[in-house]
Amino acid sequence: FFLLVHETMATSVLRFLGPRGGASTLVSSATQRCATSSYRPINNAATKAISANNLLLQNSSRFFSSSEDLDAVKRRNIGISAHIDSGKTTLTERILFYTGRIKSIHDVRGKDGVGAKMDSMDLEREKGITIQSAATFCRWNDSHINIIDTPGHVDFTIEVERALRVLDGGILVLCGVSGVQSQSLTVDRQMKRYNVPRLAFINKLDRQGSNPNKVINDLRNQLKLNASAVQIPIGLEDSHSGVVDLIRNKSYIFEGERGENIVEGEVPDDMKDMVEEKRMELIEKLADVDDEIGELFLMEEEPTEDQLKEAIRRQTIECKFVPVFMGSAFKNKGVQALLDGVIDYLPEPTEKANFALDRSQDEKEVQVSCKKDDPLLALAFKLEETQFGQLTYMRIYQGMLKKGNYIHNVNDGKKIKLARIVRMHSNDMEEIDEAHAGDVVAMFGIDCRSMDTFSDGSMNLAMSSMFVPEPVMSLAVKPAETKMQNNFAKALTKFTKEDPTLRVKVDSETKETVLSGMGELHLEVYIERMKREYSVECISGQPNVNYKETIAARAEFDWLHKKQSGGSGQYAKVTGYMEPMTEEEIKELGKPNEFKNRCIGTNIPPEYYPSCEKGMNDAMHEGSLVGCEVEGIRVVLQDGASHAVDSSDMAFRICMANAIRETMKTAQPSVLEPVMTVEVEIPSEFQGAVTASLSKRMGMIQSSDMNEDGSGLKLEAHVPLANMFGYSTELRSLTQGKGEFTMEYFNHTPVPRDVQNDLMEKYKMERLEKEAAA
């Protein structure tokens, strides 16, 4: 009777929907969607009936135009993170397909001319990597899920950082062959920094050499996580067909062209011993952190399915346990079970503790409520320039946003009217009227910076910001043509506002525009975006090193400047000496050079003393060896001579400048180069290779500290800046991507004699070229 009623309902639905285009297509689509949400084989009649019925319900309620509907459903805000090429975007594509958000699956690299939904930028589809994090939303069973797909390349790590800062849970995707890789370590640190509960998904089990047991051991040993499998795979490599659920003791085979048909069955006979062993391992790992399971374990009682699921959920939310799921996203295996795990084990927005800082009480921590009826508190975590203006992504921690209402920027006090609120689906937008606590939405018409806090004006609370790593690589950039200068400036302003790890500065010494970022690919992408989005061709290269000049010995000068060309001429004479200053003297003085007037009498009239000092400063701007700034010199003026008619301010200024330039040549001049303090953090097994690499770059090792468990090492060295270009790439190569370094200015030291000769020759050639061009 039940099937007959639903068959009738299905027929009615199809008659209603048929004229709108493709009843058979709708049945097929609905069948796929329905099959993904059921773990039991269903006969064809029931499948058609339930699918059509579900289709009508899903069409009316799957995607919301207002957050009002969300109050009745569960919500999850999750990020998908991993090392590059572990399958994050492929996994997201399958999630969107199985939840009915997209109608077909496309390849990440866009070989079919379409590309994955979440890789909306042309550069992403060309390179086959994710460059910017992308947000979407979907519905699985009775739950609404906001998803942010993040990049895996270390150069774009800020995208992962800001996503994890505002999300309530994460999926750490791991390659079944490679296991824990360099960026897996970085993502793990980020998740721990923000206390983000996570699931692990071991992907690519269809690939040759896949070994999920090795990956779980990596999670425990390298990431120090209390991780255990909640599934084991049925077959590996070419024979991978499904998984066994260790909690329910059931097998699930994924059939159909897109893995949409899930057949539930008993555990295969040849796997029963393995299932029993892994189930006991799961219980032991849970017993280590959960009191209820620990008591049952000590009493040698078997926990029920519900007890296991509740314990896993409790300890996952507390960040004390990581359930490990398995499958192959590319081969459409295991994704639906992972979605069930997201709902079962990751927290709702109300279950994750978030704190704001009370600015009126010396930034005292205050826990936010995540209730829609409380005063508004929201955080702008990502900015993006679109054809409609700045798009601001915002996480609402409590209260609600409503179209037409006013909100206040806590950081600068500005009052802003909400003109447009949207939900993002990659680069597509769905307009909504309001959004509530726990939502991740985007808005137009808000001029703010990344990590600004917004309220309704009734509170003086601010959300804490995020960790922003320091840039590790720099390039000197300039537009190929002068007419591109305006667009060049606009592009840099936009990009630095979007990306906190991209820094731009104009070097006060070399007058170059220096672009700094997280690596070669990071800077290459922005230079390419300038070309595509702003039609600015850039010329880039290594930035000039800020060399300086000094002297090592005392030298005396007695210089006469006399020029007669008819009428009033120029006459000035200065006598004195120059000598080097020590670092202590320079620090005490607070400036790099010193001028002292020790003249007795009026051979040089007192009104010309300031002109002599200006002449000294002129000479210090451009040294005689390589044309760089001069520092560490004390100039003492002892005597001189003047002419009643021909002497002037300009005459004494020129005389002093020429006297210093020529005398420097006899005072053992040298070129100084900037030396950086470089801190390198590496796994201890790479110590030899990294130490040799620093030595090759003329680095002097200052200290070497091992961490407590002996797995990591921190090296500190002094290395000339000129030798540090390209080091980020070399360090990643030497350490399998696991090494990181930071550097800051230490001091200037003399360059070796051969380097000085090369610099002098280069400077001489440049001057000859300029003179020839003039």
Side-chain angles (χ1 to χ4, degrees):
F1 173 76
F2 175 81
L3 291 178
L4 181 61
V5 170
H6 279 77
E7 188 76 75
T8 306
M9 287 176 63
T11 306
S12 302
V13 170
L14 292 177
R15 283 176 183 162
F16 175 72
L17 294 175
R20 302 189 179 189
S24 61
T25 304
L26 288 168
V27 171
S28 173
S29 174
T31 305
Q32 290 180 2
R33 305 299 189 271
C34 177
T36 60
S37 61
S38 173
Y39 276 20
R40 294 174 177 79
I42 313 173
N43 65 49
N44 289 338
T47 299
K48 288 178 185 176
I50 297 171
S51 298
N53 194 22
N54 281 354
L55 180 64
L56 183 60
L57 293 172
Q58 289 173 0
N59 280 344
S60 63
S61 64
R62 179 184 289 134
F63 309 119
F64 307 105
S65 60
S66 165
S67 289
E68 230 15 86
D69 305 313
L70 285 175
D71 290 341
V73 299
K74 299 176 185 174
R75 272 171 287 176
R76 300 290 183 271
N77 296 319
I78 65 168
I80 299 178
S81 308
H83 184 83
I84 188 170
D85 205 27
S86 293
K88 300 174 301 302
T89 305
T90 303
L91 174 62
T92 310
E93 187 84 352
R94 270 60 181 179
I95 288 174
L96 294 178
F97 176 75
Y98 293 132
T99 56
R101 199 67 180 89
I102 58 176
K103 293 182 173 60
S104 57
I105 296 173
H106 295 286
D107 186 49
V108 167
R109 294 186 181 270
K111 293 174 184 175
D112 55 2
V114 180
K117 178 64 183 176
M118 301 304 283
D119 285 345
S120 57
M121 193 188 294
D122 289 339
L123 268 173
E124 291 179 318
R125 293 180 177 179
E126 288 172 17
K127 293 179 179 290
I129 61 171
T130 302
I131 293 171
Q132 289 186 329
S133 57
T136 187
F137 63 97
C138 59
R139 182 134 187 227
W140 182 248
N141 295 334
D142 61 345
S143 301
H144 179 90
I145 307 175
N146 291 311
I147 301 173
I148 297 184
D149 177 34
T150 62
H153 201 287
V154 65
D155 286 18
F156 308 108
T157 189
I158 191 65
E159 295 289 333
V160 186
E161 192 83 32
R162 63 171 139 217
L164 293 177
R165 167 64 186 83
V166 299
L167 294 175
D168 303 317
I171 299 174
L172 177 61
V173 183
L174 300 152
C175 174
V177 179
S178 304
V180 171
Q181 297 168 274
S182 58
Q183 191 63 5
S184 310
L185 297 167
T186 305
V187 170
D188 173 65
R189 284 196 296 272
Q190 291 167 325
M191 287 182 167
K192 287 174 179 173
R193 185 179 295 136
Y194 302 115
N195 295 317
V196 177
R198 76 187 87 172
L199 312 179
F201 180 67
I202 301 178
N203 194 21
K204 301 190 177 184
L205 292 182
D206 60 304
R207 282 184 52 189
Q208 188 171 358
S210 56
N211 184 346
N213 293 327
K214 169 189 171 293
V215 181
I216 292 174
N217 286 332
D218 285 349
L219 285 171
R220 293 169 180 168
N221 299 327
Q222 294 191 41
L223 303 187
K224 311 300 181 188
L225 295 175
N226 182 28
S228 188
V230 293
Q231 301 172 341
I232 60 172
I234 299 175
L236 292 172
E237 302 177 359
D238 292 341
S239 61
H240 179 53
S241 59
V243 295
V244 172
D245 187 326
L246 297 178
I247 298 171
R248 298 185 65 197
N249 272 327
K250 296 289 183 182
S251 68
Y252 300 102
I253 306 296
F254 301 90
E255 296 181 346
E257 184 183 355
R258 300 293 187 187
E260 65 272 17
N261 299 322
I262 305 172
V263 179
E264 178 185 296
E266 298 302 319
V267 176
D269 291 338
D270 60 345
M271 294 185 67
K272 286 185 177 179
D273 291 342
M274 172 71 74
V275 167
E276 188 59 36
E277 178 189 335
K278 293 298 180 183
R279 179 179 167 85
M280 185 53 64
E281 185 179 296
L282 168 64
I283 293 171
E284 287 177 6
K285 289 293 180 182
L286 272 175
D288 289 341
V289 292
D290 189 84
D291 291 341
E292 182 181 345
I293 300 298
E295 288 179 16
L296 292 172
F297 182 74
L298 291 174
M299 295 168 65
E300 297 184 357
E301 293 181 11
E302 185 78 8
T304 65
E305 179 185 327
D306 288 341
Q307 286 174 323
L308 273 178
K309 291 178 77 170
E310 287 169 7
I312 292 172
R313 178 175 178 78
R314 276 195 303 271
Q315 302 311 323
T316 301
I317 292 173
E318 289 291 323
C319 298
K320 294 179 180 178
F321 182 75
V322 178
V324 181
F325 292 78
M326 305 193 185
S328 169
F330 185 70
K331 295 291 186 179
N332 310 304
K333 315 283 189 210
V335 179
Q336 298 95 320
L338 176 65
L339 277 167
D340 285 343
V342 167
I343 307 304
D344 289 340
Y345 305 131
L346 290 182
E348 289 205 39
T350 53
E351 294 177 302
K352 177 155 188 294
N354 288 293
F355 296 90
L357 305 176
D358 190 339
R359 292 158 56 128
S360 60
Q361 298 187 35
D362 197 24
E363 297 193 345
K364 178 184 175 183
E365 279 195 349
V366 178
Q367 186 166 351
V368 297
S369 67
C370 203
K371 295 178 181 177
K372 74 169 188 176
D373 298 324
D374 286 345
L376 173 69
L377 199 62
L379 181 68
F381 66 93
K382 177 179 166 67
L383 310 178
E384 190 177 305
E385 284 293 329
T386 70
Q387 57 184 334
F388 307 111
Q390 179 175 301
L391 182 65
T392 305
Y393 288 76
M394 202 169 288
R395 162 69 195 268
I396 309 170
Y397 284 95
Q398 69 179 36
M400 62 182 290
L401 293 171
K402 195 167 186 177
K403 193 173 175 180
N405 283 2
Y406 286 91
I407 59 173
H408 295 256
N409 188 327
V410 174
N411 298 71
D412 61 19
K414 289 182 180 176
K415 186 178 179 182
I416 303 159
K417 184 176 182 179
L418 291 177
R420 191 177 175 200
I421 308 174
V422 297
R423 275 211 181 85
M424 299 303 297
H425 178 43
S426 186
N427 59 338
D428 296 334
M429 304 173 195
E430 178 184 314
E431 293 221 24
I432 57 176
D433 294 326
E434 61 184 49
H436 292 176
D439 283 346
V440 176
V441 294
M443 282 160 287
F444 285 100
I446 295 181
D447 184 20
C448 66
R449 300 196 69 83
S450 182
M451 293 294 138
D452 277 359
T453 302
F454 289 86
S455 74
D456 55 10
S458 62
M459 297 185 302
N460 194 20
L461 299 180
M463 302 302 296
S464 59
S465 188
M466 64 178 173
F467 171 77
V468 179
E470 289 298 313
V472 299
M473 185 176 179
S474 299
L475 281 180
V477 293
K478 63 179 181 180
E481 298 177 29
T482 309
K483 65 181 181 182
M484 298 176 178
Q485 189 68 45
N486 285 342
N487 279 353
F488 178 70
K490 285 179 186 176
L492 291 181
T493 302
K494 171 196 165 184
F495 294 153
T496 50
K497 198 173 182 181
E498 283 183 9
D499 188 346
T501 58
L502 186 73
R503 314 282 174 85
V504 178
K505 70 172 183 177
V506 177
D507 194 301
S508 58
E509 309 296 336
T510 64
K511 309 303 180 188
E512 291 178 313
T513 300
V514 179
L515 194 64
S516 303
M518 299 306 296
E520 290 179 17
L521 180 61
H522 189 213
L523 297 178
E524 177 192 318
V525 163
Y526 278 109
I527 289 171
E528 182 64 25
R529 284 185 64 187
M530 272 192 242
K531 179 180 176 182
R532 296 187 184 207
E533 297 174 26
Y534 289 88
S535 302
V536 176
E537 289 275 0
C538 279
I539 298 171
S540 61
Q542 286 188 0
N544 290 330
V545 174
N546 180 22
Y547 291 106
K548 294 185 178 180
E549 297 181 32
T550 192
I551 58 173
R554 171 174 165 149
E556 297 186 353
F557 57 85
D558 186 354
W559 192 264
L560 174 66
H561 173 68
K562 186 165 68 171
K563 187 176 181 181
Q564 192 71 42
S565 57
S568 180
Q570 291 186 3
Y571 183 92
K573 183 180 180 182
V574 292
T575 304
Y577 64 89
M578 64 172 63
E579 62 182 2
M581 297 169 64
T582 63
E583 287 187 17
E584 290 76 16
E585 288 175 322
I586 294 172
K587 185 178 284 188
E588 186 178 341
L589 187 64
K591 55 184 181 179
N593 301 296
E594 183 181 14
F595 175 80
K596 282 194 172 182
N597 176 18
R598 290 183 180 167
C599 291
I600 300 173
T602 57
N603 287 342
I604 299 177
E607 62 265 28
Y608 295 141
Y609 293 155
S611 300
C612 292
E613 185 171 359
K614 288 177 183 177
M616 181 205 77
N617 291 332
D618 291 343
M620 299 303 171
H621 285 310
E622 187 176 341
S624 59
L625 294 180
V626 293
C628 292
E629 184 183 345
V630 181
E631 72 169 21
I633 295 180
R634 179 184 293 113
V635 175
V636 179
L637 179 64
Q638 293 176 310
D639 203 357
S642 63
H643 188 277
V645 177
D646 292 345
S647 289
S648 64
D649 285 329
M650 184 57 68
F652 273 95
R653 185 169 181 169
I654 293 171
C655 180
M656 189 57 135
N658 290 338
I660 291 172
R661 288 193 184 106
E662 289 302 316
T663 309
M664 272 189 66
K665 296 176 182 178
T666 65
Q668 299 180 23
S670 62
V671 178
L672 305 176
E673 64 179 348
V675 173
M676 314 300 286
T677 297
V678 179
E679 282 192 0
V680 187
E681 294 189 24
I682 53 170
S684 54
E685 63 263 30
F686 302 111
Q687 180 178 5
V690 172
T691 303
S693 169
L694 289 170
S695 300
K696 187 176 70 175
R697 292 174 180 267
M698 307 298 292
M700 300 290 291
I701 305 294
Q702 302 298 310
S703 65
S704 174
D705 298 321
M706 192 83 71
N707 64 10
E708 291 180 0
D709 60 6
S711 62
L713 187 74
K714 179 187 282 188
L715 294 172
E716 184 177 305
H718 292 160
V719 190
L721 175 61
N723 300 339
M724 286 300 295
F725 294 120
Y727 184 64
S728 59
T729 305
E730 181 181 353
L731 181 64
R732 289 171 189 170
S733 174
L734 289 173
T735 62
Q736 299 173 11
K738 298 174 183 177
E740 295 179 348
F741 82 98
T742 58
M743 64 179 183
E744 61 181 19
Y745 173 75
F746 176 60
N747 66 1
H748 271 73
T749 59
V751 300
R753 180 60 59 181
D754 60 326
V755 176
Q756 179 168 314
N757 292 336
D758 291 342
L759 291 170
M760 291 172 64
E761 187 65 28
K762 181 182 176 183
Y763 176 62
K764 182 179 176 182
M765 294 297 294
E766 287 176 353
R767 289 189 64 181
L768 290 174
E769 287 175 7
K770 284 182 181 178
E771 289 171 6

